[in-house]
Amino acid sequence: MVELVEVEDESFETKQAGPSDEDDYYTDTDSEISSDDEDNVADEESFAERLLALRDMVPPTTRSYISNKVETTTSWIKSGLMFSGKTLWVVSTSALLLGVPWALAFAEEQQMVEMEKEMRMREAGEGLLSGSAAGNLNAQLGAQQSQPAL
């Protein structure tokens, strides 16, 4: 038959090395170690990695809710920008295709009206000059006839 014998490990029997009773002052070794660890972690991790590690703090249902809201908002903004871009394209091309020829025709029409006005003013001016010249000529002839001959 097999007989079981308990064997004690020697590491449990020996006393662990630790602070001696002679040292009365207290040193916080954890803070020293943590400050060194923080320096090393800060060098190794980026800000994005730290934010990514925080995702475990948020429950999965909340994460999916936030993710759905962000995706919905993003799609609405993208759709709005696409629609406004297409609308701006249609309005600007329509303005160029319809507005520019209309503006040229309007300017040409204004030029024609100005030319007609100028022609009428010339005709009126020539009529006044010819009418006043004829009146002056008649007045001069009338004055000569009324004078006695020499």
Side-chain angles (χ1 to χ4, degrees):
M1 199 169 204
V2 180
E3 186 177 325
L4 292 175
V5 178
E6 182 180 352
V7 179
E8 288 190 29
D9 193 5
E10 292 177 5
S11 63
F12 289 123
E13 291 177 3
T14 60
K15 228 180 170 187
Q16 291 182 345
S20 64
D21 294 333
E22 296 172 3
D23 296 334
D24 290 335
Y25 69 94
Y26 174 76
T27 58
D28 185 13
T29 57
D30 291 338
S31 65
E32 292 173 7
I33 293 171
S34 65
S35 67
D36 291 339
D37 287 343
E38 287 176 7
D39 292 339
N40 292 336
V41 169
D43 293 339
E44 296 170 4
E45 282 185 336
S46 68
F47 184 69
E49 290 172 344
R50 287 187 177 201
L51 282 178
L52 193 60
L54 290 177
R55 76 173 179 199
D56 295 332
M57 293 176 61
V58 180
T61 55
T62 308
R63 278 188 292 186
S64 65
Y65 175 76
I66 292 171
S67 174
N68 288 337
K69 290 297 179 185
V70 168
E71 286 178 16
T72 303
T73 305
T74 304
S75 69
W76 275 100
I77 290 172
K78 185 178 177 181
S79 299
L81 289 175
M82 292 292 285
F83 180 75
S84 63
K86 290 178 182 179
T87 303
L88 182 62
W89 172 257
V90 168
V91 167
S92 62
T93 54
S94 297
L96 286 174
L97 291 174
L98 299 174
V100 171
W102 179 82
L104 291 173
F106 184 75
E108 188 177 328
E109 183 69 26
Q110 290 291 43
Q111 187 179 9
M112 293 296 284
V113 167
E114 290 295 324
M115 286 175 57
E116 288 175 359
K117 230 187 211 182
E118 187 179 328
M119 292 292 273
R120 276 191 242 125
M121 288 177 71
R122 281 185 185 171
E123 289 174 359
E126 288 175 2
L128 287 176
L129 285 178
S130 64
S132 64
N136 287 339
L137 186 60
N138 288 336
Q140 286 178 357
L141 288 176
Q144 284 180 355
Q145 289 174 358
S146 62
Q147 286 182 359
L150 294 176

